[in-house]
């Protein structure tokens, strides 16, 4: 749209019919921005992996570089969800980790490694 006002007018038409089809218009979210450049998402982890095993995987070739590891668990059952966040001591090491572990495996499982982004105030992987 050429202006925010024009976009708002389009949103007001949401739900109206045009040529027999219902219109749907919404304001999009602002572009995502980086959060803690030294925090990395690691997904597709084995469900019985330990925090120490993730730490060892991350520090392989980068000893002493980890500030913290957080395994994400279900709030109700406390079962591990298969992904973790690793916080490195600095951004350079975090980027090195992403490059070195992209396409790697942990216990035969292909691991997803991504830098973190923020969407609607909540961190997400890129």
């Amino acid at each position: 749209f050429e202006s925010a006002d024009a976009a708002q007018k389009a949103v007001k038409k949401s739900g109206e019919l045009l040529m027999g089809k219902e219109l749907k218009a919404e304001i999009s979210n602002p572009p995502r921005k980086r959060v803690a450049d030294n925090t990395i998402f690691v997904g597709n982890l084995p469900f019985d992996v330990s925090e120490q095993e993730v730490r060892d995987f991350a520090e392989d070739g980068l000893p002493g570089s980890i500030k913290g590891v957080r395994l994400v668990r279900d709030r109700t059952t406390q079962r591990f969800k298969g992904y973790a966040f690793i916080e490195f001591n600095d951004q350079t090491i975090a980027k090195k980790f992403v490059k070195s572990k992209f396409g790697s495996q942990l216990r035969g499982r292909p691991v997803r490694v991504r830098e973190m982004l923020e969407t609607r105030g909540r961190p997400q992987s890129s």
Side-chain angles (χ1 to χ4, degrees):
F1 294 94
E2 290 183 22
S3 68
D5 186 49
Q8 288 296 337
K9 286 179 183 176
V11 170
K12 287 179 183 174
K13 295 205 176 272
S14 191
E16 291 182 12
L17 292 178
L18 177 65
M19 298 173 62
K21 302 280 184 175
E22 184 177 335
L23 294 174
K24 183 171 182 177
E26 298 175 341
I27 301 295
S28 66
N29 295 320
R32 296 192 275 181
K33 61 183 178 182
R34 292 227 168 278
V35 292
D37 285 329
N38 55 345
T39 301
I40 305 298
F41 167 87
V42 182
N44 200 37
L45 295 169
F47 287 101
D48 61 343
V49 73
S50 69
E51 183 177 318
Q52 187 61 50
E53 193 172 359
V54 173
R55 181 178 290 275
D56 292 344
F57 172 77
E59 285 189 325
D60 181 33
L62 303 167
S65 59
I66 304 295
K67 194 172 189 177
V69 173
R70 184 171 66 95
L71 301 181
V72 179
R73 300 185 180 282
D74 181 273
R75 288 182 188 183
T76 307
T77 66
Q78 292 301 305
R79 289 181 54 194
F80 176 55
K81 288 185 162 190
Y83 64 96
F85 297 103
I86 303 171
E87 186 177 2
F88 289 85
N89 290 321
D90 72 38
Q91 178 182 2
T92 306
I93 294 172
K95 288 186 179 294
K96 204 179 280 189
F97 170 78
V98 171
K99 286 181 183 176
S100 70
K101 295 298 184 177
F102 185 81
S104 64
Q105 294 189 357
L106 179 63
R107 283 205 252 145
R109 290 181 71 130
V111 176
R112 290 191 318 270
V113 179
R114 307 255 192 295
E115 293 180 51
M116 296 302 301
L117 298 174
E118 184 176 339
T119 303
R120 296 184 189 173
R122 297 185 66 189
Q124 297 194 351
S125 65
S126 60

